[in-house]
Amino acid sequence: MRSPYDFAKAELAEMLEGEPRYRVDQIWHGLWSDHQAINEITTIPKSLRATLGERFTPLLDVVNDVSSDLGATRKWVFRLEGGATIETVLMAYEDRVTVCVSSQAGCAMGCTFCATGQAGFTRHLTTGEVLEQVMFAARAAAPRRLSNVVFMGMGEPLANYLVTVDVVRRLHDHLGLSARHLTVSTVGVAPAIERMAKTGLPLTLAVSLHSANDEDRSALIPLNRRYPLERLHRACEFWMATTGRRLSFEWALIDGVNDRDRDIDELARYALSLHAHVNLIPLNPTPGYLVRGSSGQRVHEFRAGLIELGVNATVRNTRGRSIDAACGQLAAVTNARRKSIAVRSA
Ligand code: SAH
Ligand code: SF4
């Protein structure tokens, strides 16, 4: 099944041959301004809705809907065609409303501290499946306007490169989101960072660093063996030189693992050489990684140490922990995987 969000306006117009020309504008408006599913666009005749409705049924089937932070954070579990499940998180703040989307069902990168990585990879999402997450969240956010989209849900967006690029372009062109409001977070797929820089796409890049020495980083992030820190550094330099934009580093503080004084020094050197901003976040607990996040006191000291060395560092607040909706906690177990676990244990 395809989603109407998989298509450009001209392609939809082709499908509507024989209909009055203004129909495509009505449908486009319903999809992108009102975030409606085809069968909800009441400006078009019922019969057309029915015909298109057969072609495009919504791709996301809600199987769970939970909220926390007094309703300001909401997480949905969606079942996709074929049975895989993904998670999407909506976070309302005073000054913005952000949706955190999944780019893959699961993830193949295997970062030790991440629940998605612990669960393994099921499949890539399609453009329509990512965009429908955004539209679903935009509707739930009403009457507030969805202002930010971050690719920080399940999966590695740069491993699903073409879809990520397509989605970002459409969000910019059709939803009017600017680079400041579109963030792609990557574990550090160096060649894909360079390739994306060349597209000139308007977006903010966040790189999940978590350690600034190769030995420790490889233990946390297996991909570091393939693209070690020096290679990643080159990609980051290329990103800045080509796009003219700065990037930020994500650093999940793990007690005794990457929150030592020497980590402050290593991180400061790496970040300063790239004029990068650092986002600190205490590690969120996951079942497969039995190390704790740093204490509030240590998070504070770590940030102060960075600032003293001239690094621009902020602490990101943790939303949705109680509903397993915080960064790195997303791990809807897919049907396919459940089955394989059942077979293995039989
Ligand atoms: N694959 C991409 C984007 C999805 S993960 C990436 O790795 O960047 C989104 C963010 O959550 C990343 O910065 C990731 O490092 C972080 N993360 C993963 N597990 C976490 C955990 N247990 N606690 C805090 N952050 C975590
Ligand atoms: Fe994948 Fe990102 Fe989790 Fe690593 S941190 S396993 S890249 S989702």
Side-chain angles (χ1 to χ4, degrees):
M1 245 323 165
R2 307 288 297 276
S3 158
Y5 292 103
D6 277 311
F7 295 94
K9 196 172 178 183
E11 292 170 316
L12 287 179
E14 241 170 69
M15 285 175 208
L16 292 170
E17 232 184 46
E19 295 286 336
R21 278 177 144 220
Y22 55 82
R23 289 280 177 245
V24 69
D25 290 325
Q26 290 173 318
I27 293 172
W28 197 251
H29 190 272
L31 291 172
W32 287 98
S33 299
D34 297 337
H35 323 116
Q36 290 171 316
I38 289 285
N39 60 8
E40 295 165 336
I41 306 178
T42 48
T43 49
I44 61 171
K46 217 171 170 184
S47 56
L48 182 57
R49 251 181 283 158
T51 323
L52 290 174
E54 271 169 35
R55 189 160 187 165
F56 302 125
T57 55
L59 299 180
L60 308 178
D61 183 15
V62 189
V63 290
N64 203 0
D65 176 348
V66 279
S67 61
S68 70
D69 306 316
L70 298 170
T73 305
R74 207 159 154 194
K75 178 179 87 167
W76 297 281
V77 179
F78 295 114
R79 183 178 295 112
L80 309 176
E81 212 181 352
T85 47
I86 53 159
E87 303 186 352
T88 306
V89 183
L90 179 67
M91 291 160 287
Y93 301 89
E94 235 170 66
D95 59 337
R96 64 189 191 282
V97 181
T98 300
V99 63
C100 176
V101 294
S102 293
S103 55
Q104 300 178 311
C107 183
M109 296 296 169
C111 303
T112 50
F113 51 87
C114 168
T116 308
Q118 289 155 16
F121 176 72
T122 304
R123 72 165 170 88
H124 292 301
L125 301 197
T126 61
T127 294
E129 286 167 338
V130 182
L131 285 173
E132 286 200 10
Q133 294 174 66
V134 176
M135 300 308 159
F136 195 97
R139 266 194 294 173
R144 291 194 64 188
R145 186 179 157 271
L146 184 78
S147 57
N148 294 57
V149 178
V150 298
F151 288 71
M152 289 191 184
M154 298 170 79
E156 168 50 44
L158 296 192
N160 191 8
Y161 180 84
L162 291 175
V163 164
T164 297
V165 164
D166 194 22
V167 169
V168 169
R169 186 163 286 135
R170 283 160 184 268
L171 289 174
H172 173 266
D173 292 354
H174 311 323
L175 216 54
L177 297 184
S178 67
R180 267 187 323 125
H181 299 108
L182 288 167
T183 301
V184 170
S185 174
T186 176
V187 69
V189 190
I193 292 174
E194 292 162 351
R195 188 175 169 199
M196 196 165 65
K198 287 189 231 160
T199 63
L201 272 182
L203 62 87
T204 302
L205 186 68
V207 175
S208 301
L209 199 62
H210 307 312
S211 171
N213 77 73
D214 278 319
E215 195 183 336
D216 290 351
R217 191 164 191 269
S218 294
L220 295 170
I221 300 173
L223 190 77
N224 190 67
R225 292 193 198 102
R226 186 132 157 232
Y227 305 118
L229 287 160
E230 201 207 308
R231 175 70 188 89
L232 182 59
H233 197 281
R234 263 192 284 137
C236 293
E237 274 176 334
F238 186 83
W239 172 266
M240 285 198 307
T242 312
T243 65
R245 276 192 296 272
R246 291 193 180 176
L247 44 78
S248 61
F249 289 128
E250 304 290 306
W251 191 283
L253 281 160
I254 313 171
D255 187 29
V257 173
N258 66 358
D259 68 350
R260 302 155 301 181
D261 287 345
R262 59 171 273 208
D263 296 302
I264 299 179
D265 294 335
E266 289 167 356
L267 168 57
R269 220 172 306 130
Y270 201 82
L272 285 172
S273 67
L274 290 160
H275 309 288
H277 179 97
V278 173
N279 264 321
L280 301 170
I281 173 172
L283 181 86
N284 289 307
T286 60
Y289 187 66
L290 300 174
V291 185
R292 280 178 309 142
S294 309
S295 66
Q297 167 75 10
R298 189 58 192 153
V299 172
H300 178 75
E301 287 166 5
F302 199 89
R303 172 169 183 256
L306 288 172
I307 286 177
E308 203 169 298
L309 294 172
V311 181
N312 189 349
T314 46
V315 177
R316 183 129 56 84
N317 87 356
T318 318
R319 278 292 189 91
R321 264 196 187 192
S322 62
I323 51 170
D324 286 346
C327 260
Q329 287 188 316
L330 304 185
V333 175
T334 71
N335 279 350
R337 187 144 178 97
R338 256 193 225 119
K339 246 182 258 154
S340 79
I341 292 168
V343 169
R344 241 182 282 141
S345 58

